[in-house]
Amino acid sequence: MLALFIDPLYFYLPSVGGPVCLENDIALRIFVTFWRSVADFFYLMNVGIKFRTAFVAPSSKVFGRGELVRDSKAIAMRYLKADFIIDLAATLPLPQIIIWFIMPAVKSTTADHANNTLVLIVLLQYVPRLFLMFPLNKRIIKTTGVVTKTAWAGAAYNLLLYMLASHVLGASWYLMSIERQHTCWRKECAREKTDLNLLSCNPLFLDCSTLEQPERKAWMSVTRVLVNCDITSREIRFKYGMFEDAFTNKVVSSKFIEKYLYSLWWGLKNLSSYGQNLETSTFIGETAFCIIICIVGLVLFAHLIGNMQSYLQSMTMRIEEWRVKRRDTEEWMRHRQLPVDLQERVRRFVQYKWVATRGVDEEYILDSLPLDLRREIQRHLCLGLVRRVPFFAQMDDQLLDAICERLVSSLSTRDTYIVREGDPVNEMLFIIRGKLESSTTNGGRSGFFNSITLKSGGFCGEELLTWALLPNSSLNYPSSTRTVRAVGEVEAFALRAEDLKFVANQFRRLHSKKLQHAFRYHSQQWRTWGATYIEAAWRRFKKKKLTKELQRQESSYHMEVPDQEPLLGHKEGESPSTDNANNLQNFGTTILASRFTVNARRGVNQKVKVVDPSSTSLKMPKLFKPDEPDFSADTEDS
């Protein structure tokens, strides 16, 4: 790109340096020569690299990917027969040789002849350099898929190619303007010679190096070359055509930066409009130049618009797809006449999913990768977040890797029900960000309600872990004991039932007592059960204590009766000893009845304990919840 940009700068070397004379810009010549030599050095390096670049033998491509040929002689011979001539033509420093050696050595040639030679050399060498650039661009696309990584860079790259074409076109227009000016001067000089003037025009006078010669000064006082070739003169008969702007705006005699920007603007304007506003003369070179402008402008402008549209569409394609899906969702909701609040929840979820994922299907991307790479990516994404879950913090790295490999992303918006009490549980959810409300009525029990808030690091769906640890679990998923609702936007990882079952079967360490104790401690379901049993045990303790207190008071009352009866008196014919015997017999009967009641209640409790699933012959997993305490026993009379 740099070399293709530098070469047209040679066209700006000639300029009008005085009345009826041309000169070359020395400072610009040095600048262009330096950077052109730098570009040639890279072309030379390219030639040297190709002499050492191995290739795949065409005869070995029949089966497999082919055999790589590394023999230096074979590589050199193949390169010399193929692309060496084109690379050599693009590498030779021909413009530098013309400017610094040939032009000073040839004193008899005019400036116009030297400029035409330079232009011919530059244009001839421009073709092989273009030939090297476009195949390289094609190979980059074939190897990497794109030239640039971002859409904006791709659009800028295509625009740069269009600007390069405008740069070449503007430089060519400027040089052709100088050539038309020189052509007019030569024609007028030839006309003066035919008039047999004593001070006829010498072609050497058209070079600014002769400005101080006395002959030229004398010729300038009598010649009409300047007047007849002046675009502002009414007597002019020469047709400049499409090059009039270069003389009316004095571009040919301006500073380099001024004439360069004006020429670039001219090339960009006419390349974009296909040369429709150009007015040409009958000069063949001028009309041919306009035809080239029209054809090249049409092709390049269509190429630019097509490529930039493709690159810019690649930026907005995903956004446009999301807009189309959102519009279809709106139409579907209106067609089905969904309630307003339900429509708002759907809109919230669609918007939140777009913000979280930008429309990227993460599962599709991960599934297309090999297993080892997918495992490493999942470990990078999930391991740190999984370790924040207290239950997973007790596991080793191998078990965590197996779990991370099977976690999938899950998004929920406010007021979304993750699972309802009694519904089958098909996944465990581990919260990354957000809050969940978990509540239960213990199967619809009257007066029973428990509610907690799950925050980052918490989890729900723990019934699934009990199901997965069963040695012969059924295909039916366990029922949820809680209702889980999203309080706000929630981002979480989900572990599906099939994946959890696979991990439980493959890694027996999941059955260890340490993990089970950690699970019970952090499980809200087990905490609720524990609180319920503590409450039931406390009620039984209070009831038992109250019963003992009543028994103690009753015993004290019966012990005081025999001591007080003689003071109250007795019936005639009955002796005090007989009364005392009857009271002692009643007291013994009461004590026996109380002991019988206590033993009967102990028997009932023992019968209840026999129904405990842990004591049956069927082996159940340790994580199964125990029987619910029977609060109705509190109302029975003891």
Side-chain angles (χ1 to χ4, degrees):
M1 292 292 292
L2 180 64
L4 294 177
F5 176 81
I6 289 175
D7 286 352
L9 295 180
Y10 281 111
F11 298 169
Y12 293 99
L13 292 181
S15 61
V16 177
V20 198
C21 72
L22 297 178
E23 67 175 359
N24 286 326
D25 190 345
I26 301 298
L28 180 61
R29 183 193 300 181
I30 296 173
F31 176 81
V32 176
T33 301
F34 173 76
W35 287 109
R36 166 68 192 232
S37 301
V38 173
D40 292 343
F41 176 73
F42 281 97
Y43 276 98
L44 184 62
M45 289 179 59
N46 180 46
V47 173
I49 290 173
K50 286 188 175 181
F51 270 112
R52 303 294 299 174
T53 304
F55 66 95
V56 178
S59 59
S60 63
K61 293 183 179 180
V62 179
F63 300 101
R65 300 185 61 182
E67 180 183 355
L68 192 65
V69 178
R70 301 187 182 185
D71 184 30
S72 301
K73 292 183 179 180
I75 294 172
M77 291 301 297
R78 179 177 180 273
Y79 178 52
L80 289 173
K81 293 178 181 179
D83 301 331
F84 176 72
I85 300 299
I86 297 176
D87 293 344
L88 181 63
T91 306
L92 292 176
L94 298 180
Q96 296 95 306
I97 296 174
I98 294 293
I99 291 176
W100 295 100
F101 298 102
I102 297 180
M103 289 177 59
V106 182
K107 300 295 184 181
S108 60
T109 58
T110 62
D112 179 63
H113 177 71
N115 290 335
N116 290 336
T117 304
L118 179 62
V119 170
L120 182 62
I121 294 298
V122 171
L123 290 179
L124 288 179
Q125 202 171 26
Y126 212 74
V127 175
R129 295 200 170 192
L130 277 175
F131 183 82
L132 291 179
M133 175 183 173
F134 289 108
L136 177 62
N137 180 80
K138 186 179 295 184
R139 287 198 299 270
I140 292 174
I141 295 177
K142 182 179 179 180
T143 304
T144 63
V146 292
V147 178
T148 58
K149 294 183 179 180
T150 60
W152 282 112
Y157 171 72
N158 284 273
L159 182 60
L160 185 61
L161 293 177
Y162 192 78
M163 295 296 294
L164 177 62
S166 303
H167 164 67
V168 175
L169 185 63
S172 302
W173 171 79
Y174 172 81
L175 187 63
M176 294 184 69
S177 301
I178 294 291
E179 192 274 333
R180 292 299 290 167
Q181 178 74 83
H182 194 268
T183 300
C184 180
W185 290 343
R186 283 191 293 105
K187 286 185 178 181
E188 293 298 327
C189 283
R191 188 178 292 109
E192 286 184 357
K193 285 184 178 181
T194 58
D195 293 341
L196 300 178
N197 293 334
L198 295 178
L199 296 176
S200 61
C201 177
N202 188 348
L204 295 177
F205 292 164
L206 302 181
D207 193 345
C208 291
S209 60
T210 61
L211 281 177
E212 301 301 328
Q213 293 181 2
E215 296 85 357
R216 191 182 191 284
K217 292 181 179 180
W219 170 73
M220 284 297 299
S221 62
V222 297
T223 185
R224 294 187 59 82
V225 174
L226 183 61
V227 176
N228 293 338
C229 292
D230 188 2
I231 192 67
T232 60
S233 176
R234 296 181 179 179
E235 301 178 4
I236 187 173
R237 292 175 294 179
F238 188 82
K239 300 296 183 181
Y240 285 99
M242 59 184 290
F243 305 106
E244 290 185 0
D245 293 348
F247 305 104
T248 55
N249 297 319
K250 298 181 180 181
V251 177
V252 293
S253 59
S254 302
K255 297 179 181 179
F256 167 72
I257 188 65
E258 295 175 354
K259 61 186 179 184
Y260 170 73
L261 291 178
Y262 188 88
S263 300
L264 180 62
W265 171 82
W266 189 92
L268 185 61
K269 178 185 69 173
N270 290 282
L271 196 64
S272 302
S273 61
Y274 320 131
Q276 296 179 4
N277 299 325
L278 295 177
E279 296 181 1
T280 64
S281 62
T282 57
F283 177 56
I284 297 178
E286 187 176 350
T287 53
F289 187 62
C290 287
I291 293 173
I292 293 175
I293 291 176
C294 184
I295 297 175
V296 174
L298 181 63
V299 173
L300 290 181
F301 192 74
H303 180 75
L304 172 68
I305 296 301
N307 285 343
M308 291 195 68
Q309 185 177 8
S310 299
Y311 276 105
L312 295 179
Q313 279 183 350
S314 65
M315 295 176 56
T316 59
M317 186 182 302
R318 204 173 299 278
I319 299 178
E320 189 63 27
E321 290 178 357
W322 174 70
R323 289 176 180 172
V324 171
K325 290 181 180 179
R326 187 172 183 178
R327 184 193 61 192
D328 295 342
T329 304
E330 292 287 342
E331 294 179 356
W332 175 79
M333 290 190 298
R334 285 195 299 267
H335 175 68
R336 294 300 181 183
Q337 298 181 358
L338 297 182
V340 178
D341 57 340
L342 199 56
Q343 292 184 19
E344 185 61 27
R345 290 178 58 187
V346 173
R347 294 189 191 100
R348 260 202 324 267
F349 175 77
V350 172
Q351 180 68 28
Y352 180 58
K353 186 176 181 180
W354 167 258
V355 172
T357 64
R358 289 296 175 184
V360 178
D361 190 355
E362 297 180 354
E363 293 187 22
Y364 173 76
I365 296 176
L366 291 174
D367 291 341
S368 62
L369 297 176
L371 179 61
D372 183 65
L373 190 57
R374 183 166 66 245
R375 184 183 294 115
E376 291 294 330
I377 293 175
Q378 287 286 83
R379 179 183 177 89
H380 170 73
L381 294 176
C382 307
L383 187 61
L385 297 172
V386 168
R387 287 188 183 277
R388 290 165 50 187
V389 179
F391 173 60
F392 286 154
Q394 307 291 333
M395 300 182 182
D396 56 4
D397 292 340
Q398 187 178 9
L399 189 55
L400 288 178
D401 288 341
I403 293 177
C404 286
E405 186 180 349
R406 290 160 177 81
L407 290 178
V408 295
S409 178
S410 176
L411 302 175
S412 303
T413 55
R414 182 167 53 89
D415 295 333
T416 299
Y417 283 89
I418 309 299
V419 65
R420 298 177 185 269
E421 188 173 357
D423 291 346
V425 182
N426 58 359
E427 64 182 12
M428 287 186 69
L429 209 63
F430 304 94
I431 305 172
I432 302 173
R433 282 180 291 272
K435 296 180 180 180
L436 294 176
E437 182 187 41
S438 178
S439 60
T440 179
T441 60
N442 199 17
R445 176 183 295 180
S446 178
F448 188 96
F449 182 78
N450 173 261
S451 177
I452 57 168
T453 301
L454 301 176
K455 299 181 180 180
S456 177
F459 60 92
C460 62
E462 53 266 32
E463 299 89 349
L464 200 62
L465 183 60
T466 305
W467 171 83
L469 292 179
L470 279 173
N472 297 315
S473 57
S474 62
L475 297 178
N476 297 328
Y477 295 145
S479 299
S480 175
T481 60
R482 307 185 71 87
T483 298
V484 182
R485 182 180 65 89
V487 178
E489 281 73 17
V490 177
E491 185 174 355
F493 281 124
L495 186 60
R496 295 166 181 166
E498 297 80 5
D499 298 328
L500 183 59
K501 185 67 175 178
F502 174 80
V503 173
N505 292 336
Q506 294 294 324
F507 297 91
R508 305 305 299 176
R509 293 187 299 275
L510 198 61
H511 299 256
S512 67
K513 293 183 178 181
K514 182 179 179 182
L515 290 181
Q516 292 186 11
H517 285 307
F519 175 79
R520 291 181 179 182
Y521 178 77
H522 296 287
S523 172
Q524 300 301 327
Q525 185 184 15
W526 276 85
R527 289 188 176 187
T528 303
W529 293 339
T532 304
Y533 272 89
I534 291 174
E535 182 181 2
W538 175 254
R539 291 187 180 183
R540 289 195 301 269
F541 173 75
K542 293 290 291 183
K543 189 69 175 178
K544 185 176 181 180
K545 186 177 180 180
L546 180 60
T547 302
K548 289 183 177 181
E549 181 65 22
L550 292 176
Q551 290 177 358
R552 186 184 63 81
Q553 292 179 2
E554 183 180 2
S555 299
S556 300
Y557 174 77
H558 287 290
M559 291 295 291
E560 292 174 356
V561 170
D563 297 334
Q564 295 176 358
E565 280 185 353
L567 299 176
L568 296 175
H570 55 276
K571 295 181 180 180
E572 294 182 358
E574 291 184 359
S575 63
S577 60
T578 305
D579 294 338
N580 292 335
N582 293 334
N583 291 335
L584 290 174
Q585 185 178 2
N586 292 335
F587 177 70
T589 304
T590 303
I591 292 177
L592 291 176
S594 300
R595 290 179 179 179
F596 176 78
T597 303
V598 172
N599 293 332
R601 291 180 60 191
R602 287 179 180 176
V604 172
N605 292 336
Q606 290 177 359
K607 290 180 182 179
V608 172
K609 290 181 180 180
V610 173
V611 192
D612 190 356
S614 61
S615 61
T616 59
S617 60
L618 180 62
K619 294 183 179 180
M620 304 296 287
K622 298 179 182 180
L623 289 180
F624 260 126
K625 101 171 186 180
D627 292 338
E628 296 289 348
D630 189 5
F631 290 100
S632 61
D634 298 339
T635 60
E636 297 178 359
D637 296 332
S638 58

